[in-house]
């Protein structure tokens, strides 16, 4: 990549994210994901279990890319003091609303900002630094630097999830992958409606592109010049995304001094099961609990960590 193109993409990583995540409905839609998509239920259940297993000695928390507050609120309810940090005003507004409903507003500090700049925070300022649902991957080509900054402000532990390269590759051969995880096709959600309405068309128009698959496997990059052009024309493209290999993420964290690194792939087991069965499981409370218990055990196995549904999760000590 030329130096000029690299510099151009560095400028757009934050611009595109700001426009995408500040759409007015983002906060509301994000807060409803576990009521809408089965893969979100599985992923967030996995992360919650990991968090609750690693709270020993944790009193202060930085949640980078905290969204509508799913985990900020969880840890505030556990007695932690949390800095909820996000680029999106609608997300922060929704998180404030939910925190007030849960009675933990006094334990959460809300800050609007971009992960590309954490200079306001001191070295080792927070016992735990966490960043989930891949905001680090949206900072391309600054992702390694951002990881280093997250490690810098962590005093005891770091937990991050990034986009998984191996987990993302099957999407290139499955244009209807999200349909598998729709909990209820009649839900009032615009993307659910779009997935259902366009399912047959997406199948009919699909052609496997080996070149694209080989490119993603080689460079890990989803998006680029098309997204930049769409942004310049006033559009709201999806963020340019860097996807990580498991050994790559582990090596970056280790290089910044993180120890006892454990990787997992939330959703690796669930993605093997057809929608009809997943919905049946989710509708039975006992089956749902047993299923999520087993998903957690399976997805925590290092041999499947790269095949998580969307994210590769890492936990490590400072």
């Amino acid at each position: 990549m030329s130096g000029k193109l690299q510099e151009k993409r560095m400028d757009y990583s934050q611009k595109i994210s700001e426009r995408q995540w500040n759409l007015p409905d983002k906060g509301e839609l994000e807060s409803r994901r576990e009521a809408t998509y089965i893969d979100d239920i599985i992923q967030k259940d996995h992360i919650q279990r990991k968090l609750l297993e690693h709270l020993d000695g944790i009193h202060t928390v930085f949640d980078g890319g905290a969204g509508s507050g799913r985990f900020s609120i969880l840890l505030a309810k556990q007695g932690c003091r949390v800095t909820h940090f996000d680029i999106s005003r609608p997300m922060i507004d929704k998180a404030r609303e939910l925190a007030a409903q849960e009675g933990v507003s006094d334990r959460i500090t809300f800050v609007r900002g971009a992960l590309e700049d954490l200079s306001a925070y001191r070295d080792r300022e927070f016992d735990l630094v966490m960043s989930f649902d891949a905001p680090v991957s949206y900072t391309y080509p600054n992702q390694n630097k951002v990881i280093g900054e997250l490690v810098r402000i962590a005093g005891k532990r770091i937990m991050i999830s990034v986009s998984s390269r191996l987990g993302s590759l099957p999407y290139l051969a499955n244009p209807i992958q999200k349909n598998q995880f729709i909990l209820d096709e009649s839900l009032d959600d615009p993307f659910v409606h779009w997935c259902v309405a366009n399912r047959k068309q997406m199948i009919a128009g699909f052609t496997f592109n080996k070149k694209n698959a080989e490119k993603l496997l080689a460079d890990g990059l989803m998006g680029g010049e098309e997204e930049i052009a769409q942004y310049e024309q006033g559009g709201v493209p999806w963020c340019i995304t860097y996807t990580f290999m498991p050994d790559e993420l582990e090596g970056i964290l280790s290089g910044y001094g993180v120890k006892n690194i454990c990787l997992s792939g939330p959703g690796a087991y669930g993605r093997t099961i057809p929608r009809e069965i997943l919905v049946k499981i989710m509708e039975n409370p006992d089956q749902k609990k047993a299923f999520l218990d087993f998903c957690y055990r399976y997805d925590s196995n290092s041999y499947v960590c790269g095949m998580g549904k969307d994210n590769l999760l890492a936990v490590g000590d400072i």
Side-chain angles (χ1 to χ4, degrees), residues 17 34 69 71 91 140 160 208 226 255 276 279:
S17 288
E34 284 176 272
F71 298 111
M91 293 280 204
Y140 173 85
I160 63 172
F208 179 70
E226 289 185 11
E276 293 83 354
V279 171

Side-chain angles (χ1 to χ4, degrees), residues 177-211:
Q177 59 84 23
K178 197 62 178 180
N179 291 67
Q180 178 185 0
F181 301 100
I182 297 172
L183 190 58
D184 179 353
E185 291 185 347
S186 67
L187 287 170
D188 183 21
D189 181 281
F191 188 59
V192 168
H193 294 169
W194 186 92
C195 287
V196 174
N198 289 277
R199 185 177 188 277
K200 290 183 179 179
Q201 179 182 341
M202 295 295 287
I203 294 171
F206 173 73
T207 302
F208 179 70
N209 190 315
K210 181 183 176 184
K211 182 179 179 181

Side-chain angles (χ1 to χ4, degrees), residues 101-255:
Q101 291 175 11
E102 296 294 333
V104 294
S105 298
D106 60 328
R107 305 196 68 83
I108 302 179
T109 300
F110 295 94
V111 179
R112 186 179 180 195
L115 286 178
E116 289 91 338
D117 182 9
L118 300 180
S119 59
Y121 301 105
R122 305 185 307 274
D123 293 1
R124 309 294 177 240
E125 184 166 346
F126 303 94
D127 296 331
L128 169 66
V129 168
M130 60 188 191
S131 180
F132 300 128
D133 207 16
V136 169
S137 285
Y138 305 146
T139 65
Y140 173 85
N142 305 302
Q143 69 275 1
N144 288 16
K145 178 183 176 182
V146 168
I147 291 173
E149 281 292 277
L150 291 170
V151 173
R152 177 184 67 80
I153 64 175
K156 296 181 179 179
R157 193 159 295 124
I158 184 165
M159 297 181 65
I160 63 172
S161 67
V162 299
S163 291
S164 169
R165 188 175 312 180
L166 296 175
S168 297
L169 277 161
Y171 298 160
L172 300 186
N174 185 4
I176 59 168
Q177 59 84 23
K178 197 62 178 180
N179 291 67
Q180 178 185 0
F181 301 100
I182 297 172
L183 190 58
D184 179 353
E185 291 185 347
S186 67
L187 287 170
D188 183 21
D189 181 281
F191 188 59
V192 168
H193 294 169
W194 186 92
C195 287
V196 174
N198 289 277
R199 185 177 188 277
K200 290 183 179 179
Q201 179 182 341
M202 295 295 287
I203 294 171
F206 173 73
T207 302
F208 179 70
N209 190 315
K210 181 183 176 184
K211 182 179 179 181
N212 287 348
E214 289 181 337
K215 179 183 181 300
L216 178 57
L217 182 60
D219 68 18
L221 192 61
M222 300 176 70
E225 299 312 299
E226 289 185 11
E227 284 72 17
I228 292 173
Q230 186 180 345
Y231 176 92
E232 286 295 337
Q233 293 164 10
V236 188
W238 188 256
C239 307
I240 299 171
T241 306
Y242 183 78
T243 62
F244 290 78
M245 294 290 283
D247 57 344
E248 176 188 14
L249 179 60
E250 184 174 15
I252 293 168
L253 289 167
S254 179

